[in-house]
Amino acid sequence: MEKHRIFIVEDDVKIAEMLAGMLAKYQYDTRVVEDFDKIAEEAAVWNPHLILLDINLPTYDGYFWCRELRQVTTCPIIFVSARTSEMDQVFAIENGGDDYITKPFHYEIVLAKIKSHIRRTYGEYAVKQEERTVKLGSMTLFMERLELDCKGTIVPLQKKECVILELLFDQHPKVVSRERLLEELWDDQSFVDENTLNVNMTRVRKKLKDYGVKSTIETVRGAGYRLLLHPEEG
């Protein structure tokens, strides 16, 4: 049986180690963040089932990182912070958090909340519904997992990468306009730099190539983008 993975984002080394040790005793697989400038990247690679997130962190606060994490995971995020005001708890929820625990805390409460969220998300209390997928040829896009399965090869994706591929899959072999992509990727297009879409498209192309996917994304000048399905993946 797979152990549930808990990602601990806490800059107090003592607290982080105590949390990791306590959770390990209850058969959780834990990982403490290593680079506070690459929190979302570490989460995307490790793919945790739940995240414990402090607010007061180096460089950027937990609210910022919660928004960034929501680009790569839909797993439960529990804020664990010494801030006790109601507004901090409101900000935590508004920025993508699922729960809030104040410091100092009892480890039994942390454990109980983790168990509760794990049960509701993955266990007996989870809503049983068919996973949303988008298929094209031998490729399957798993929207909730943020993964692309190409003939058994799993390609991990970020949220925007997943949305780009979903649109290209749905419209294949038609062209998807830049306007449509911008509309789906960003709520307020007026604040999006023209090159931002180019950067995201470049990342998707590189990721497909790096994982050996032979289908490619073609730029149609003056119109948008189109997915070219390779015969071996058609």
Side-chain angles (χ1 to χ4, degrees):
M1 181 177 179
E2 180 187 19
K3 290 184 178 181
H4 288 109
R5 297 181 297 278
I6 311 297
F7 188 39
I8 302 171
V9 184
E10 167 65 66
D11 64 339
D12 186 313
V13 176
K14 184 177 180 180
I15 292 177
E17 290 180 348
M18 290 179 69
L19 281 169
M22 181 268 294
L23 293 172
K25 291 179 181 179
Y26 288 90
Q27 304 304 307
Y28 289 105
D29 190 1
T30 62
R31 174 170 177 161
V32 178
V33 65
E34 296 178 356
D35 188 339
F36 286 96
D37 290 324
K38 296 182 179 180
I39 292 172
E41 292 178 34
E42 285 190 34
V45 171
W46 201 53
N47 192 26
H49 292 98
L50 183 143
I51 297 172
L52 297 177
L53 178 64
D54 193 7
I55 295 177
N56 296 324
L57 297 170
T59 311
Y60 298 105
D61 63 23
Y63 302 135
F64 169 84
W65 283 115
C66 192
R67 295 192 299 272
E68 293 296 302
L69 286 163
R70 281 295 173 233
Q71 299 299 312
V72 300
T73 182
T74 58
C75 79
I77 297 177
I78 302 177
F79 277 85
V80 183
S81 174
R83 299 188 188 185
T84 59
S85 75
E86 292 182 357
M87 286 310 301
D88 281 307
Q89 298 184 43
V90 170
F91 289 152
I93 302 303
E94 288 184 343
N95 281 279
D98 296 285
D99 209 334
Y100 196 101
I101 299 173
T102 57
K103 299 175 182 176
F105 51 78
H106 292 288
Y107 286 97
E108 291 79 7
I109 292 178
V110 176
L111 183 62
K113 284 183 176 286
I114 289 174
K115 286 182 177 179
S116 175
H117 283 284
I118 292 292
R119 283 198 306 268
R120 291 179 181 179
T121 308
Y122 312 103
E124 64 266 33
Y125 300 149
V127 176
K128 305 301 181 183
Q129 59 183 15
E130 187 175 345
E131 185 173 10
R132 187 161 69 93
T133 60
V134 184
K135 296 186 178 182
L136 180 64
S138 61
M139 296 187 290
T140 303
L141 194 61
F142 294 91
M143 300 304 296
E144 280 78 24
R145 298 186 212 174
L146 299 178
E147 291 179 348
L148 172 68
D149 184 336
C150 181
K151 301 174 70 174
T153 298
I154 303 300
V155 182
L157 301 167
Q158 294 194 7
K159 186 176 181 180
K160 284 184 169 54
E161 295 170 346
C162 212
V163 172
I164 287 172
L165 287 176
E166 180 186 18
L167 290 170
L168 292 171
F169 276 32
D170 282 342
Q171 294 299 309
H172 180 269
K174 299 178 182 178
V175 174
V176 181
S177 69
R178 292 179 62 86
E179 291 73 20
R180 173 74 187 284
L181 285 161
L182 287 168
E183 180 182 338
E184 293 292 334
L185 289 167
W186 291 279
D187 294 330
D188 191 345
Q189 300 175 42
S190 60
F191 292 100
V192 179
D193 185 89
E194 184 69 15
N195 290 324
T196 304
L197 178 57
N198 298 339
V199 170
N200 279 270
M201 196 62 68
T202 298
R203 287 175 178 167
V204 176
R205 284 170 166 153
K206 183 178 186 300
K207 187 163 288 186
L208 294 179
K209 182 179 179 181
D210 288 348
Y211 280 85
V213 178
K214 296 181 179 180
S215 297
T216 58
I217 300 172
E218 175 190 32
T219 299
V220 181
R221 190 173 298 277
Y225 301 91
R226 173 171 53 206
L227 184 69
L228 298 180
L229 188 61
H230 192 277
E232 293 182 15
E233 297 164 356

